[in-house]
Amino acid sequence: MADEEEESPRERLLQRQKKEAKELQAQIQSMKHSVPKGDKRKKKEITLEITKLEEQLNTRHKEELELLERESNLNEDTLGLVTEEMEAVSVTNEPEPQSKVSKAQKRRDKKAAKEKEREQRIAEAELENVHSARNIEAEKLKEILTAKGLSIKEITPDGNCLYNAIADQLSRRNQQTEMQTLRKLASDYMLNHEEDFLPFLTDTKTGEVYTPDQFVHYCEELANSPVWGGHLEIQALSQVLKMPIEVYQANAPILRTGEEYDSQPILLSYHHHAYGLGEHYNSVVPAQDIVES
């Protein structure tokens, strides 16, 4: 107890920042693992989004430490210590510069810095293009939903968006279901109805329909990793939950699954350009719910 009471504001801040950096690294690993093998476009978009998340966190951490320094009237020696500790919790974990750097190393560092700057400019330009497409899509989808008195509830883009969006819809009916449970339900249903799903899965490298072993592996990844879900998983969950599912899209008609069921449909929105990550699902709710929250 004594140690906790004597813990300084700076120490508490640094501990929190270290925790946030660790959580972001876990999220980044999850995002990287969710990219299908051979999908270069999605891998590139994921890389751009990761860079953005890292920069945002590092900037916020730096601003927090600077604010703490001003509020605490730290002297120069203490400020130097804060700066060192700030670098220690940096997400990018860049190595500290050596005390002695040769001229050749300086030239190499300068060349590397210029190359990094060039790549960053390219990345920012590409990200801007993606965001432009995202904005166009978002406006069209907003227009469609507004006409029906509906709005979008944002779901975190972490590879689990489909399942978290459906979980949000179920919670509005007082049915508390975890994302991981929905993954397992979809996986089990697909495994038990292989003939309904396997013909629609193809190997991205060969273009051939999945073998039974590949299908089993696909279902195992669905249950145990943050791999993206899509129309096949929506079909499976509609059957398991015995509920219709409607997916709103900007440039296509509403996709309806499970129309044989009479219950109120689960409402989702599909975004092709969301967050620069490609495919993404959100929960669709009455517009009034968003205003009240």
Side-chain angles (χ1 to χ4, degrees), residues 26-39 42-43 45-47 49-50 157-161 163 183 218 221 225-229 277-279:
Q27 180 184 346
I28 288 173
Q29 290 304 312
S30 175
M31 292 168 68
K32 288 180 178 179
H33 291 158
S34 67
V35 179
K37 292 182 178 178
D39 193 335
K42 188 159 291 184
K43 181 179 180 181
E45 292 174 353
I46 284 283
T47 300
E49 189 66 20
I50 287 173
D158 58 1
N160 298 310
C161 57
Y163 309 98
R183 279 189 171 278
Y218 177 92
E221 283 198 326
S225 72
V227 64
W228 263 286
L277 296 174
E279 298 177 6

PDB file of all heavy atoms in Angstrom, residues 26-39 42-43 45-47 49-50 157-161 163 183 218 221 225-229 277-279:
ATOM      1  N   ALA A  26      -0.871  -5.738 -29.569  1.00  0.00           N
ATOM      2  CA  ALA A  26      -1.744  -6.922 -29.679  1.00  0.00           C
ATOM      3  C   ALA A  26      -2.774  -6.714 -30.784  1.00  0.00           C
ATOM      4  O   ALA A  26      -3.054  -7.624 -31.573  1.00  0.00           O
ATOM      5  CB  ALA A  26      -2.438  -7.182 -28.338  1.00  0.00           C
ATOM      6  N   GLN A  27      -3.332  -5.498 -30.863  1.00  0.00           N
ATOM      7  CA  GLN A  27      -4.300  -5.190 -31.909  1.00  0.00           C
ATOM      8  C   GLN A  27      -3.644  -5.256 -33.289  1.00  0.00           C
ATOM      9  O   GLN A  27      -4.234  -5.775 -34.247  1.00  0.00           O
ATOM     10  CB  GLN A  27      -4.892  -3.800 -31.686  1.00  0.00           C
ATOM     11  CG  GLN A  27      -5.928  -3.411 -32.745  1.00  0.00           C
ATOM     12  CD  GLN A  27      -6.439  -1.995 -32.559  1.00  0.00           C
ATOM     13  OE1 GLN A  27      -6.236  -1.378 -31.511  1.00  0.00           O
ATOM     14  NE2 GLN A  27      -7.119  -1.471 -33.555  1.00  0.00           N
ATOM     15  N   ILE A  28      -2.407  -4.750 -33.376  1.00  0.00           N
ATOM     16  CA  ILE A  28      -1.692  -4.768 -34.654  1.00  0.00           C
ATOM     17  C   ILE A  28      -1.440  -6.203 -35.111  1.00  0.00           C
ATOM     18  O   ILE A  28      -1.622  -6.541 -36.290  1.00  0.00           O
ATOM     19  CB  ILE A  28      -0.364  -3.994 -34.529  1.00  0.00           C
ATOM     20  CG1 ILE A  28      -0.649  -2.486 -34.440  1.00  0.00           C
ATOM     21  CG2 ILE A  28       0.568  -4.286 -35.704  1.00  0.00           C
ATOM     22  CD1 ILE A  28       0.573  -1.636 -34.133  1.00  0.00           C
ATOM     23  N   GLN A  29      -1.024  -7.065 -34.173  1.00  0.00           N
ATOM     24  CA  GLN A  29      -0.803  -8.470 -34.520  1.00  0.00           C
ATOM     25  C   GLN A  29      -2.086  -9.107 -35.001  1.00  0.00           C
ATOM     26  O   GLN A  29      -2.094  -9.888 -35.959  1.00  0.00           O
ATOM     27  CB  GLN A  29      -0.245  -9.229 -33.309  1.00  0.00           C
ATOM     28  CG  GLN A  29       1.174  -8.861 -32.939  1.00  0.00           C
ATOM     29  CD  GLN A  29       2.142  -9.046 -34.095  1.00  0.00           C
ATOM     30  OE1 GLN A  29       2.139 -10.086 -34.758  1.00  0.00           O
ATOM     31  NE2 GLN A  29       2.984  -8.048 -34.333  1.00  0.00           N
ATOM     32  N   SER A  30      -3.199  -8.773 -34.340  1.00  0.00           N
ATOM     33  CA  SER A  30      -4.496  -9.303 -34.739  1.00  0.00           C
ATOM     34  C   SER A  30      -4.857  -8.842 -36.146  1.00  0.00           C
ATOM     35  O   SER A  30      -5.341  -9.624 -36.969  1.00  0.00           O
ATOM     36  CB  SER A  30      -5.575  -8.852 -33.743  1.00  0.00           C
ATOM     37  OG  SER A  30      -6.845  -9.259 -34.178  1.00  0.00           O
ATOM     38  N   MET A  31      -4.594  -7.560 -36.435  1.00  0.00           N
ATOM     39  CA  MET A  31      -4.889  -7.013 -37.764  1.00  0.00           C
ATOM     40  C   MET A  31      -4.038  -7.689 -38.831  1.00  0.00           C
ATOM     41  O   MET A  31      -4.525  -8.023 -39.912  1.00  0.00           O
ATOM     42  CB  MET A  31      -4.644  -5.509 -37.754  1.00  0.00           C
ATOM     43  CG  MET A  31      -5.633  -4.732 -36.882  1.00  0.00           C
ATOM     44  SD  MET A  31      -5.138  -3.009 -36.580  1.00  0.00           S
ATOM     45  CE  MET A  31      -5.311  -2.308 -38.224  1.00  0.00           C
ATOM     46  N   LYS A  32      -2.751  -7.920 -38.529  1.00  0.00           N
ATOM     47  CA  LYS A  32      -1.861  -8.564 -39.499  1.00  0.00           C
ATOM     48  C   LYS A  32      -2.298 -10.004 -39.770  1.00  0.00           C
ATOM     49  O   LYS A  32      -2.299 -10.460 -40.920  1.00  0.00           O
ATOM     50  CB  LYS A  32      -0.426  -8.553 -38.976  1.00  0.00           C
ATOM     51  CG  LYS A  32       0.233  -7.177 -38.988  1.00  0.00           C
ATOM     52  CD  LYS A  32       1.660  -7.250 -38.461  1.00  0.00           C
ATOM     53  CE  LYS A  32       2.347  -5.889 -38.525  1.00  0.00           C
ATOM     54  NZ  LYS A  32       3.725  -5.946 -37.997  1.00  0.00           N
ATOM     55  N   HIS A  33      -2.678 -10.724 -38.708  1.00  0.00           N
ATOM     56  CA  HIS A  33      -3.077 -12.126 -38.871  1.00  0.00           C
ATOM     57  C   HIS A  33      -4.397 -12.264 -39.609  1.00  0.00           C
ATOM     58  O   HIS A  33      -4.707 -13.344 -40.127  1.00  0.00           O
ATOM     59  CB  HIS A  33      -3.181 -12.794 -37.501  1.00  0.00           C
ATOM     60  CG  HIS A  33      -1.856 -12.965 -36.822  1.00  0.00           C
ATOM     61  ND1 HIS A  33      -1.722 -13.120 -35.456  1.00  0.00           N
ATOM     62  CD2 HIS A  33      -0.593 -12.976 -37.318  1.00  0.00           C
ATOM     63  CE1 HIS A  33      -0.448 -13.227 -35.151  1.00  0.00           C
ATOM     64  NE2 HIS A  33       0.258 -13.135 -36.261  1.00  0.00           N
ATOM     65  N   SER A  34      -5.179 -11.180 -39.634  1.00  0.00           N
ATOM     66  CA  SER A  34      -6.490 -11.267 -40.281  1.00  0.00           C
ATOM     67  C   SER A  34      -6.407 -11.115 -41.799  1.00  0.00           C
ATOM     68  O   SER A  34      -7.397 -11.322 -42.490  1.00  0.00           O
ATOM     69  CB  SER A  34      -7.416 -10.181 -39.716  1.00  0.00           C
ATOM     70  OG  SER A  34      -6.961  -8.896 -40.094  1.00  0.00           O
ATOM     71  N   VAL A  35      -5.233 -10.761 -42.327  1.00  0.00           N
ATOM     72  CA  VAL A  35      -5.087 -10.585 -43.771  1.00  0.00           C
ATOM     73  C   VAL A  35      -4.985 -11.949 -44.451  1.00  0.00           C
ATOM     74  O   VAL A  35      -4.106 -12.754 -44.116  1.00  0.00           O
ATOM     75  CB  VAL A  35      -3.824  -9.753 -44.091  1.00  0.00           C
ATOM     76  CG1 VAL A  35      -3.675  -9.598 -45.596  1.00  0.00           C
ATOM     77  CG2 VAL A  35      -3.898  -8.398 -43.417  1.00  0.00           C
ATOM     78  N   PRO A  36      -5.869 -12.244 -45.404  1.00  0.00           N
ATOM     79  CA  PRO A  36      -5.787 -13.524 -46.117  1.00  0.00           C
ATOM     80  C   PRO A  36      -4.454 -13.648 -46.852  1.00  0.00           C
ATOM     81  O   PRO A  36      -3.917 -12.666 -47.361  1.00  0.00           O
ATOM     82  CB  PRO A  36      -6.955 -13.439 -47.105  1.00  0.00           C
ATOM     83  CG  PRO A  36      -7.891 -12.423 -46.523  1.00  0.00           C
ATOM     84  CD  PRO A  36      -7.009 -11.422 -45.833  1.00  0.00           C
ATOM     85  N   LYS A  37      -3.918 -14.861 -46.884  1.00  0.00           N
ATOM     86  CA  LYS A  37      -2.646 -15.086 -47.573  1.00  0.00           C
ATOM     87  C   LYS A  37      -2.779 -14.737 -49.046  1.00  0.00           C
ATOM     88  O   LYS A  37      -3.725 -15.119 -49.715  1.00  0.00           O
ATOM     89  CB  LYS A  37      -2.218 -16.546 -47.418  1.00  0.00           C
ATOM     90  CG  LYS A  37      -1.839 -16.922 -45.988  1.00  0.00           C
ATOM     91  CD  LYS A  37      -1.379 -18.366 -45.917  1.00  0.00           C
ATOM     92  CE  LYS A  37      -0.963 -18.731 -44.496  1.00  0.00           C
ATOM     93  NZ  LYS A  37      -0.546 -20.146 -44.388  1.00  0.00           N
ATOM     94  N   GLY A  38      -1.797 -13.992 -49.550  1.00  0.00           N
ATOM     95  CA  GLY A  38      -1.782 -13.646 -50.963  1.00  0.00           C
ATOM     96  C   GLY A  38      -2.581 -12.404 -51.317  1.00  0.00           C
ATOM     97  O   GLY A  38      -2.563 -11.972 -52.463  1.00  0.00           O
ATOM     98  N   ASP A  39      -3.289 -11.814 -50.354  1.00  0.00           N
ATOM     99  CA  ASP A  39      -4.093 -10.622 -50.625  1.00  0.00           C
ATOM    100  C   ASP A  39      -3.216  -9.388 -50.419  1.00  0.00           C
ATOM    101  O   ASP A  39      -3.176  -8.797 -49.340  1.00  0.00           O
ATOM    102  CB  ASP A  39      -5.309 -10.586 -49.704  1.00  0.00           C
ATOM    103  CG  ASP A  39      -6.343  -9.553 -50.155  1.00  0.00           C
ATOM    104  OD1 ASP A  39      -5.941  -8.588 -50.828  1.00  0.00           O
ATOM    105  OD2 ASP A  39      -7.526  -9.718 -49.832  1.00  0.00           O
ATOM    106  N   LYS A  42      -5.107  -5.908 -49.461  1.00  0.00           N
ATOM    107  CA  LYS A  42      -5.539  -5.760 -48.069  1.00  0.00           C
ATOM    108  C   LYS A  42      -4.335  -5.625 -47.143  1.00  0.00           C
ATOM    109  O   LYS A  42      -4.370  -4.884 -46.153  1.00  0.00           O
ATOM    110  CB  LYS A  42      -6.406  -6.955 -47.669  1.00  0.00           C
ATOM    111  CG  LYS A  42      -7.056  -6.801 -46.297  1.00  0.00           C
ATOM    112  CD  LYS A  42      -8.266  -7.702 -46.156  1.00  0.00           C
ATOM    113  CE  LYS A  42      -9.394  -7.244 -47.042  1.00  0.00           C
ATOM    114  NZ  LYS A  42     -10.619  -8.042 -46.866  1.00  0.00           N
ATOM    115  N   LYS A  43      -3.239  -6.340 -47.461  1.00  0.00           N
ATOM    116  CA  LYS A  43      -2.027  -6.223 -46.659  1.00  0.00           C
ATOM    117  C   LYS A  43      -1.496  -4.796 -46.699  1.00  0.00           C
ATOM    118  O   LYS A  43      -1.068  -4.247 -45.671  1.00  0.00           O
ATOM    119  CB  LYS A  43      -0.967  -7.189 -47.176  1.00  0.00           C
ATOM    120  CG  LYS A  43       0.328  -7.153 -46.370  1.00  0.00           C
ATOM    121  CD  LYS A  43       1.340  -8.159 -46.902  1.00  0.00           C
ATOM    122  CE  LYS A  43       2.629  -8.105 -46.098  1.00  0.00           C
ATOM    123  NZ  LYS A  43       3.629  -9.057 -46.615  1.00  0.00           N
ATOM    124  N   GLU A  45      -3.263  -2.053 -47.281  1.00  0.00           N
ATOM    125  CA  GLU A  45      -4.186  -1.181 -46.558  1.00  0.00           C
ATOM    126  C   GLU A  45      -4.023  -1.338 -45.053  1.00  0.00           C
ATOM    127  O   GLU A  45      -4.070  -0.362 -44.291  1.00  0.00           O
ATOM    128  CB  GLU A  45      -5.624  -1.485 -46.981  1.00  0.00           C
ATOM    129  CG  GLU A  45      -5.904  -1.092 -48.429  1.00  0.00           C
ATOM    130  CD  GLU A  45      -7.277  -1.524 -48.897  1.00  0.00           C
ATOM    131  OE1 GLU A  45      -7.959  -2.248 -48.138  1.00  0.00           O
ATOM    132  OE2 GLU A  45      -7.679  -1.140 -50.008  1.00  0.00           O
ATOM    133  N   ILE A  46      -3.806  -2.584 -44.618  1.00  0.00           N
ATOM    134  CA  ILE A  46      -3.581  -2.844 -43.189  1.00  0.00           C
ATOM    135  C   ILE A  46      -2.315  -2.118 -42.721  1.00  0.00           C
ATOM    136  O   ILE A  46      -2.281  -1.520 -41.646  1.00  0.00           O
ATOM    137  CB  ILE A  46      -3.449  -4.355 -42.925  1.00  0.00           C
ATOM    138  CG1 ILE A  46      -4.830  -5.023 -42.976  1.00  0.00           C
ATOM    139  CG2 ILE A  46      -2.797  -4.620 -41.577  1.00  0.00           C
ATOM    140  CD1 ILE A  46      -5.670  -4.798 -41.752  1.00  0.00           C
ATOM    141  N   THR A  47      -1.256  -2.172 -43.543  1.00  0.00           N
ATOM    142  CA  THR A  47       0.005  -1.523 -43.194  1.00  0.00           C
ATOM    143  C   THR A  47      -0.185  -0.022 -43.029  1.00  0.00           C
ATOM    144  O   THR A  47       0.349   0.590 -42.092  1.00  0.00           O
ATOM    145  CB  THR A  47       1.069  -1.793 -44.280  1.00  0.00           C
ATOM    146  OG1 THR A  47       1.275  -3.215 -44.392  1.00  0.00           O
ATOM    147  CG2 THR A  47       2.389  -1.141 -43.916  1.00  0.00           C
ATOM    148  N   GLU A  49      -2.979   1.534 -42.227  1.00  0.00           N
ATOM    149  CA  GLU A  49      -3.780   1.791 -41.035  1.00  0.00           C
ATOM    150  C   GLU A  49      -2.947   1.608 -39.766  1.00  0.00           C
ATOM    151  O   GLU A  49      -3.089   2.369 -38.796  1.00  0.00           O
ATOM    152  CB  GLU A  49      -4.983   0.840 -41.014  1.00  0.00           C
ATOM    153  CG  GLU A  49      -6.001   1.154 -39.926  1.00  0.00           C
ATOM    154  CD  GLU A  49      -6.694   2.489 -40.128  1.00  0.00           C
ATOM    155  OE1 GLU A  49      -6.678   2.994 -41.267  1.00  0.00           O
ATOM    156  OE2 GLU A  49      -7.242   3.023 -39.155  1.00  0.00           O
ATOM    157  N   ILE A  50      -2.059   0.621 -39.757  1.00  0.00           N
ATOM    158  CA  ILE A  50      -1.187   0.392 -38.599  1.00  0.00           C
ATOM    159  C   ILE A  50      -0.280   1.602 -38.379  1.00  0.00           C
ATOM    160  O   ILE A  50      -0.091   2.060 -37.251  1.00  0.00           O
ATOM    161  CB  ILE A  50      -0.355  -0.892 -38.798  1.00  0.00           C
ATOM    162  CG1 ILE A  50      -1.254  -2.127 -38.639  1.00  0.00           C
ATOM    163  CG2 ILE A  50       0.807  -0.956 -37.801  1.00  0.00           C
ATOM    164  CD1 ILE A  50      -0.566  -3.435 -38.981  1.00  0.00           C
ATOM    165  N   PRO A 157     -12.809  -1.869 -36.054  1.00  0.00           N
ATOM    166  CA  PRO A 157     -12.299  -2.638 -37.198  1.00  0.00           C
ATOM    167  C   PRO A 157     -11.108  -3.508 -36.819  1.00  0.00           C
ATOM    168  O   PRO A 157      -9.958  -3.210 -37.153  1.00  0.00           O
ATOM    169  CB  PRO A 157     -11.889  -1.542 -38.181  1.00  0.00           C
ATOM    170  CG  PRO A 157     -11.464  -0.413 -37.297  1.00  0.00           C
ATOM    171  CD  PRO A 157     -12.360  -0.456 -36.098  1.00  0.00           C
ATOM    172  N   ASP A 158     -11.362  -4.612 -36.113  1.00  0.00           N
ATOM    173  CA  ASP A 158     -10.266  -5.447 -35.632  1.00  0.00           C
ATOM    174  C   ASP A 158     -10.304  -6.875 -36.163  1.00  0.00           C
ATOM    175  O   ASP A 158      -9.641  -7.759 -35.636  1.00  0.00           O
ATOM    176  CB  ASP A 158     -10.281  -5.486 -34.102  1.00  0.00           C
ATOM    177  CG  ASP A 158     -11.610  -6.014 -33.556  1.00  0.00           C
ATOM    178  OD1 ASP A 158     -12.499  -6.357 -34.364  1.00  0.00           O
ATOM    179  OD2 ASP A 158     -11.760  -6.064 -32.316  1.00  0.00           O
ATOM    180  N   GLY A 159     -11.067  -7.117 -37.226  1.00  0.00           N
ATOM    181  CA  GLY A 159     -11.200  -8.471 -37.757  1.00  0.00           C
ATOM    182  C   GLY A 159     -12.410  -9.196 -37.206  1.00  0.00           C
ATOM    183  O   GLY A 159     -12.843 -10.202 -37.757  1.00  0.00           O
ATOM    184  N   ASN A 160     -12.948  -8.687 -36.106  1.00  0.00           N
ATOM    185  CA  ASN A 160     -14.119  -9.307 -35.472  1.00  0.00           C
ATOM    186  C   ASN A 160     -15.387  -8.500 -35.712  1.00  0.00           C
ATOM    187  O   ASN A 160     -16.404  -8.717 -35.033  1.00  0.00           O
ATOM    188  CB  ASN A 160     -13.888  -9.432 -33.964  1.00  0.00           C
ATOM    189  CG  ASN A 160     -12.709 -10.331 -33.636  1.00  0.00           C
ATOM    190  OD1 ASN A 160     -12.600 -11.442 -34.127  1.00  0.00           O
ATOM    191  ND2 ASN A 160     -11.810  -9.841 -32.798  1.00  0.00           N
ATOM    192  N   CYS A 161     -15.341  -7.552 -36.650  1.00  0.00           N
ATOM    193  CA  CYS A 161     -16.435  -6.591 -36.794  1.00  0.00           C
ATOM    194  C   CYS A 161     -17.773  -7.254 -37.087  1.00  0.00           C
ATOM    195  O   CYS A 161     -18.798  -6.843 -36.528  1.00  0.00           O
ATOM    196  CB  CYS A 161     -16.097  -5.564 -37.872  1.00  0.00           C
ATOM    197  SG  CYS A 161     -15.722  -6.267 -39.493  1.00  0.00           S
ATOM    198  N   TYR A 163     -18.932 -10.185 -36.218  1.00  0.00           N
ATOM    199  CA  TYR A 163     -19.466 -10.872 -35.040  1.00  0.00           C
ATOM    200  C   TYR A 163     -19.818  -9.878 -33.928  1.00  0.00           C
ATOM    201  O   TYR A 163     -20.822 -10.057 -33.225  1.00  0.00           O
ATOM    202  CB  TYR A 163     -18.452 -11.914 -34.568  1.00  0.00           C
ATOM    203  CG  TYR A 163     -18.024 -12.801 -35.712  1.00  0.00           C
ATOM    204  CD1 TYR A 163     -16.825 -12.552 -36.398  1.00  0.00           C
ATOM    205  CD2 TYR A 163     -18.840 -13.829 -36.156  1.00  0.00           C
ATOM    206  CE1 TYR A 163     -16.458 -13.323 -37.477  1.00  0.00           C
ATOM    207  CE2 TYR A 163     -18.472 -14.606 -37.249  1.00  0.00           C
ATOM    208  CZ  TYR A 163     -17.284 -14.346 -37.902  1.00  0.00           C
ATOM    209  OH  TYR A 163     -16.930 -15.100 -38.977  1.00  0.00           O
ATOM    210  N   ARG A 183     -18.535 -16.785 -33.311  1.00  0.00           N
ATOM    211  CA  ARG A 183     -17.541 -17.408 -34.190  1.00  0.00           C
ATOM    212  C   ARG A 183     -17.649 -18.936 -34.121  1.00  0.00           C
ATOM    213  O   ARG A 183     -17.642 -19.626 -35.153  1.00  0.00           O
ATOM    214  CB  ARG A 183     -16.130 -16.971 -33.791  1.00  0.00           C
ATOM    215  CG  ARG A 183     -15.717 -15.605 -34.313  1.00  0.00           C
ATOM    216  CD  ARG A 183     -14.234 -15.350 -34.045  1.00  0.00           C
ATOM    217  NE  ARG A 183     -13.769 -14.150 -34.707  1.00  0.00           N
ATOM    218  CZ  ARG A 183     -13.399 -14.068 -35.979  1.00  0.00           C
ATOM    219  NH1 ARG A 183     -13.454 -15.163 -36.732  1.00  0.00           N
ATOM    220  NH2 ARG A 183     -12.977 -12.937 -36.497  1.00  0.00           N
ATOM    221  N   TYR A 218     -10.125 -23.816 -42.618  1.00  0.00           N
ATOM    222  CA  TYR A 218     -10.832 -22.536 -42.726  1.00  0.00           C
ATOM    223  C   TYR A 218     -11.783 -22.353 -41.539  1.00  0.00           C
ATOM    224  O   TYR A 218     -11.826 -21.287 -40.917  1.00  0.00           O
ATOM    225  CB  TYR A 218     -11.614 -22.499 -44.041  1.00  0.00           C
ATOM    226  CG  TYR A 218     -12.456 -21.255 -44.241  1.00  0.00           C
ATOM    227  CD1 TYR A 218     -11.950 -20.151 -44.913  1.00  0.00           C
ATOM    228  CD2 TYR A 218     -13.768 -21.190 -43.774  1.00  0.00           C
ATOM    229  CE1 TYR A 218     -12.709 -19.010 -45.108  1.00  0.00           C
ATOM    230  CE2 TYR A 218     -14.540 -20.052 -43.958  1.00  0.00           C
ATOM    231  CZ  TYR A 218     -14.012 -18.975 -44.632  1.00  0.00           C
ATOM    232  OH  TYR A 218     -14.772 -17.843 -44.809  1.00  0.00           O
ATOM    233  N   GLU A 221      -9.867 -21.699 -38.269  1.00  0.00           N
ATOM    234  CA  GLU A 221      -9.416 -20.306 -38.186  1.00  0.00           C
ATOM    235  C   GLU A 221     -10.582 -19.375 -37.876  1.00  0.00           C
ATOM    236  O   GLU A 221     -10.433 -18.419 -37.111  1.00  0.00           O
ATOM    237  CB  GLU A 221      -8.758 -19.887 -39.506  1.00  0.00           C
ATOM    238  CG  GLU A 221      -7.350 -20.405 -39.691  1.00  0.00           C
ATOM    239  CD  GLU A 221      -6.604 -19.633 -40.758  1.00  0.00           C
ATOM    240  OE1 GLU A 221      -7.253 -19.206 -41.749  1.00  0.00           O
ATOM    241  OE2 GLU A 221      -5.393 -19.432 -40.610  1.00  0.00           O
ATOM    242  N   SER A 225      -9.454 -17.399 -34.559  1.00  0.00           N
ATOM    243  CA  SER A 225      -8.603 -16.264 -34.909  1.00  0.00           C
ATOM    244  C   SER A 225      -9.475 -15.106 -35.383  1.00  0.00           C
ATOM    245  O   SER A 225     -10.641 -15.299 -35.719  1.00  0.00           O
ATOM    246  CB  SER A 225      -7.604 -16.656 -36.013  1.00  0.00           C
ATOM    247  OG  SER A 225      -8.283 -16.796 -37.256  1.00  0.00           O
ATOM    248  N   PRO A 226      -8.914 -13.882 -35.431  1.00  0.00           N
ATOM    249  CA  PRO A 226      -9.708 -12.710 -35.836  1.00  0.00           C
ATOM    250  C   PRO A 226      -9.807 -12.543 -37.345  1.00  0.00           C
ATOM    251  O   PRO A 226      -9.798 -11.421 -37.859  1.00  0.00           O
ATOM    252  CB  PRO A 226      -8.939 -11.554 -35.189  1.00  0.00           C
ATOM    253  CG  PRO A 226      -7.527 -12.007 -35.194  1.00  0.00           C
ATOM    254  CD  PRO A 226      -7.579 -13.496 -34.930  1.00  0.00           C
ATOM    255  N   VAL A 227      -9.920 -13.657 -38.078  1.00  0.00           N
ATOM    256  CA  VAL A 227     -10.055 -13.572 -39.527  1.00  0.00           C
ATOM    257  C   VAL A 227     -11.414 -12.977 -39.867  1.00  0.00           C
ATOM    258  O   VAL A 227     -12.403 -13.195 -39.176  1.00  0.00           O
ATOM    259  CB  VAL A 227      -9.888 -14.969 -40.175  1.00  0.00           C
ATOM    260  CG1 VAL A 227     -11.009 -15.906 -39.735  1.00  0.00           C
ATOM    261  CG2 VAL A 227      -9.837 -14.867 -41.684  1.00  0.00           C
ATOM    262  N   TRP A 228     -11.464 -12.180 -40.947  1.00  0.00           N
ATOM    263  CA  TRP A 228     -12.702 -11.516 -41.348  1.00  0.00           C
ATOM    264  C   TRP A 228     -13.804 -12.516 -41.647  1.00  0.00           C
ATOM    265  O   TRP A 228     -13.564 -13.611 -42.172  1.00  0.00           O
ATOM    266  CB  TRP A 228     -12.461 -10.680 -42.602  1.00  0.00           C
ATOM    267  CG  TRP A 228     -12.209  -9.224 -42.343  1.00  0.00           C
ATOM    268  CD1 TRP A 228     -13.112  -8.285 -41.975  1.00  0.00           C
ATOM    269  CD2 TRP A 228     -10.954  -8.551 -42.425  1.00  0.00           C
ATOM    270  NE1 TRP A 228     -12.506  -7.058 -41.827  1.00  0.00           N
ATOM    271  CE2 TRP A 228     -11.181  -7.192 -42.097  1.00  0.00           C
ATOM    272  CE3 TRP A 228      -9.661  -8.949 -42.744  1.00  0.00           C
ATOM    273  CZ2 TRP A 228     -10.173  -6.235 -42.088  1.00  0.00           C
ATOM    274  CZ3 TRP A 228      -8.658  -8.015 -42.726  1.00  0.00           C
ATOM    275  CH2 TRP A 228      -8.912  -6.673 -42.401  1.00  0.00           C
ATOM    276  N   GLY A 229     -15.039 -12.100 -41.359  1.00  0.00           N
ATOM    277  CA  GLY A 229     -16.208 -12.876 -41.745  1.00  0.00           C
ATOM    278  C   GLY A 229     -16.879 -12.235 -42.941  1.00  0.00           C
ATOM    279  O   GLY A 229     -16.726 -11.028 -43.183  1.00  0.00           O
ATOM    280  N   LEU A 277      -9.206  -0.374 -44.483  1.00  0.00           N
ATOM    281  CA  LEU A 277      -8.915  -1.788 -44.254  1.00  0.00           C
ATOM    282  C   LEU A 277      -9.648  -2.702 -45.224  1.00  0.00           C
ATOM    283  O   LEU A 277      -9.492  -3.903 -45.183  1.00  0.00           O
ATOM    284  CB  LEU A 277      -9.315  -2.179 -42.811  1.00  0.00           C
ATOM    285  CG  LEU A 277      -8.538  -1.480 -41.707  1.00  0.00           C
ATOM    286  CD1 LEU A 277      -9.137  -1.859 -40.358  1.00  0.00           C
ATOM    287  CD2 LEU A 277      -7.086  -1.858 -41.751  1.00  0.00           C
ATOM    288  N   GLY A 278     -10.494  -2.137 -46.093  1.00  0.00           N
ATOM    289  CA  GLY A 278     -11.267  -2.996 -46.961  1.00  0.00           C
ATOM    290  C   GLY A 278     -12.598  -3.329 -46.315  1.00  0.00           C
ATOM    291  O   GLY A 278     -13.258  -2.471 -45.745  1.00  0.00           O
ATOM    292  N   GLU A 279     -13.029  -4.583 -46.408  1.00  0.00           N
ATOM    293  CA  GLU A 279     -14.348  -4.994 -45.934  1.00  0.00           C
ATOM    294  C   GLU A 279     -14.531  -4.727 -44.444  1.00  0.00           C
ATOM    295  O   GLU A 279     -13.644  -4.976 -43.648  1.00  0.00           O
ATOM    296  CB  GLU A 279     -14.551  -6.477 -46.228  1.00  0.00           C
ATOM    297  CG  GLU A 279     -14.508  -6.809 -47.712  1.00  0.00           C
ATOM    298  CD  GLU A 279     -14.640  -8.296 -47.961  1.00  0.00           C
ATOM    299  OE1 GLU A 279     -14.868  -9.043 -47.002  1.00  0.00           O
ATOM    300  OE2 GLU A 279     -14.539  -8.698 -49.128  1.00  0.00           O
TER     301      GLU A 279
END
